[in-house]
Amino acid sequence: MKAVGYKKSLPIEDQDALIDFETAKPEPKGRDIRVAVKAISANPVDYKVRKRAAPPEGETKILGYDAAGVVDAVGPDVTLFKPGDEVFYAGSILRQGTNSEFHLVDERIVGNKPKSLSFAQAAALPLTSITAWELLFDRLGAVPGKSVDPRTLLITGGAGGVGSILIQLARRLTGLTVLATATRPESQKWCLDLGAHAVIDHGRPMKEQIESLRLPPVALVASLTFTDQHYKAIAEFMAPQGRFGLIDDPPEFAMSTFKGKAISVHWESMFTRSSFQTPDMIAQHHLLNDVSDLIDKGVLRTTLDQTFGTINAANLKRAHALLESGKSRGKIVLEGWQVFTAS
């Protein structure tokens, strides 16, 4: 089968940062299903792993987590899917990735693809939907239901992949006031179009901007990017006994900043359940099915922003470069395979 991977951790400008190659088609065992991958999307975790995790000498690591495709074969213990089913999912960080024609994934972290979406549109959703859902409901404890919630949720980096789905979930499924941050006018419009009640510029002091809006107290915060640059300022205006959630890897982060207000700090990693085979691992199967239903009912929409052509090393390098620049909006998707000469 065709695949895209890397042998060494190299800058994305390097010719061999990502390479096209061929490898054996994997065989499903246990609860694994084998998916014929139709579309994938790129996420910041892709380039972070590429930069930090060089594969063993002589091996080629395949990146990629988001995928949409068709079940091609199933392991002997599979009960949730059968060949021919259309699915979408975000894979496991401990296994080979989705940048391959065929991919093995545990059925417990796979959902039924939304019927109303193309494979490309569906591939934009899994990783960010799981992250946003778990962060909002499992970590920050937001209450689903449209009853009025007298609190504001601040989402920093609202125009990114996770922010784009988190805005929708919070606005459509809770009674929270949703406040997003974005710096560029087009990104601010993107957040408003997705449902944010208001948008502020995180490149300027946030406290004054929030006070001028006269919103309910900022009791919940989803810090999605550059946490180290913003958390101290956020602690100053957060409501006492609030909840601060983060998904990035701040080089500097002092939790004692939140002690005086008894603000709790919550980490979200959507790979936790699959990495540790937690007893509630199947929650991600149910979560993705819920997202699929909400998409098909018109409650949520895909966060696909750009398509970068077929799945190959050259196009994935373009996607990695844009993600590393910090200027991407929504999700970048690649779809389909083309003939190439293996290196």
Side-chain angles (χ1 to χ4, degrees):
M1 67 173 183
K2 302 180 184 71
V4 180
Y6 68 105
K7 294 179 180 293
K8 296 180 179 179
S9 294
L10 298 168
I12 197 59
E13 299 82 12
D14 193 288
Q15 180 179 345
D16 294 327
L18 292 171
I19 59 171
D20 296 311
F21 73 108
E22 291 191 353
T23 187
K25 184 188 297 186
E27 293 299 325
K29 299 176 182 178
R31 298 194 71 172
D32 278 346
I33 60 174
R34 187 173 67 199
V35 177
V37 175
K38 303 299 183 184
I40 57 111
S41 76
N43 294 282
V45 66
D46 294 68
Y47 76 75
K48 291 176 182 178
V49 172
R50 192 197 83 243
K51 285 182 170 183
R52 301 173 189 171
E57 186 68 29
E59 295 185 18
T60 306
K61 183 173 179 62
I62 302 172
L63 291 170
Y65 303 97
D66 277 331
V70 179
V71 177
D72 170 68
V74 301
D77 301 326
V78 168
T79 60
L80 302 175
F81 299 100
K82 64 185 184 304
D85 288 344
E86 296 185 350
V87 296
F88 72 147
Y89 61 93
S92 164
I93 202 165
L94 300 181
R95 307 180 70 172
Q96 288 283 48
T98 57
N99 298 343
S100 55
E101 276 191 288
F102 296 92
H103 182 251
L104 294 183
V105 61
D106 190 301
E107 64 172 348
R108 289 170 290 179
I109 57 173
V110 177
N112 294 295
K113 182 183 80 68
K115 295 181 177 64
S116 58
L117 297 186
S118 67
F119 286 109
Q121 291 169 324
L125 289 165
L127 186 146
T128 51
S129 294
I130 295 169
T131 301
W133 189 292
E134 291 183 349
L135 180 58
L136 182 62
F137 297 117
D138 298 347
R139 313 297 173 230
L140 294 179
V143 181
K146 288 301 291 180
S147 57
V148 175
D149 191 321
R151 301 177 295 175
T152 291
L153 165 68
L154 172 66
I155 303 170
T156 63
V162 175
S164 294
I165 196 72
L166 182 54
I167 289 171
Q168 296 184 71
L169 291 174
R171 182 63 191 267
R172 306 281 182 260
L173 303 185
T174 79
L176 291 162
T177 296
V178 182
L179 173 63
T181 79
T183 54
R184 293 174 293 151
E186 59 269 29
S187 297
Q188 293 174 351
K189 182 180 184 301
W190 174 269
C191 293
L192 291 170
D193 289 346
L194 290 171
H197 289 93
V199 183
I200 61 173
D201 180 355
H202 56 248
R204 298 165 44 217
M206 287 189 272
K207 184 177 181 181
E208 292 80 356
Q209 296 177 74
I210 292 172
E211 288 175 347
S212 69
L213 292 170
R214 301 185 184 281
L215 302 174
V218 177
L220 304 178
V221 171
S223 183
L224 307 181
T225 186
F226 298 118
T227 293
D228 56 307
Q229 296 180 19
H230 302 302
Y231 78 96
K232 290 179 181 176
I234 290 172
E236 291 185 12
F237 60 74
M238 269 191 79
Q241 303 182 91
R243 293 187 174 205
F244 182 94
L246 66 161
I247 65 170
D248 61 341
D249 306 294
E252 185 273 327
F253 186 74
M255 286 203 291
S256 59
T257 304
F258 299 100
K259 182 179 179 181
K261 289 184 176 179
I263 292 168
S264 55
V265 176
H266 304 262
W267 294 93
E268 161 57 20
S269 171
M270 58 78 54
F271 293 119
T272 296
R273 281 172 161 142
S274 58
S275 294
F276 293 94
Q277 301 279 299
T278 60
D280 67 346
M281 184 172 162
I282 200 169
Q284 291 189 346
H285 165 72
H286 299 308
L287 184 166
L288 286 172
N289 281 345
D290 286 342
V291 169
S292 188
D293 289 341
L294 290 166
I295 290 282
D296 286 339
K297 290 174 181 175
V299 177
L300 302 177
R301 77 183 209 202
T302 182
T303 53
L304 167 61
D305 183 53
Q306 297 185 71
T307 54
F308 272 25
T310 53
I311 306 166
N312 60 39
N315 289 337
L316 273 164
K317 286 171 72 174
R318 289 172 55 219
H320 279 227
L322 180 55
L323 288 169
E324 289 184 45
S325 76
K327 296 179 180 178
S328 63
R329 183 183 66 184
K331 293 300 295 291
I332 303 164
V333 169
L334 293 82
E335 183 178 22
W337 296 85
Q338 66 184 35
V339 177
F340 58 78
T341 302
S343 56

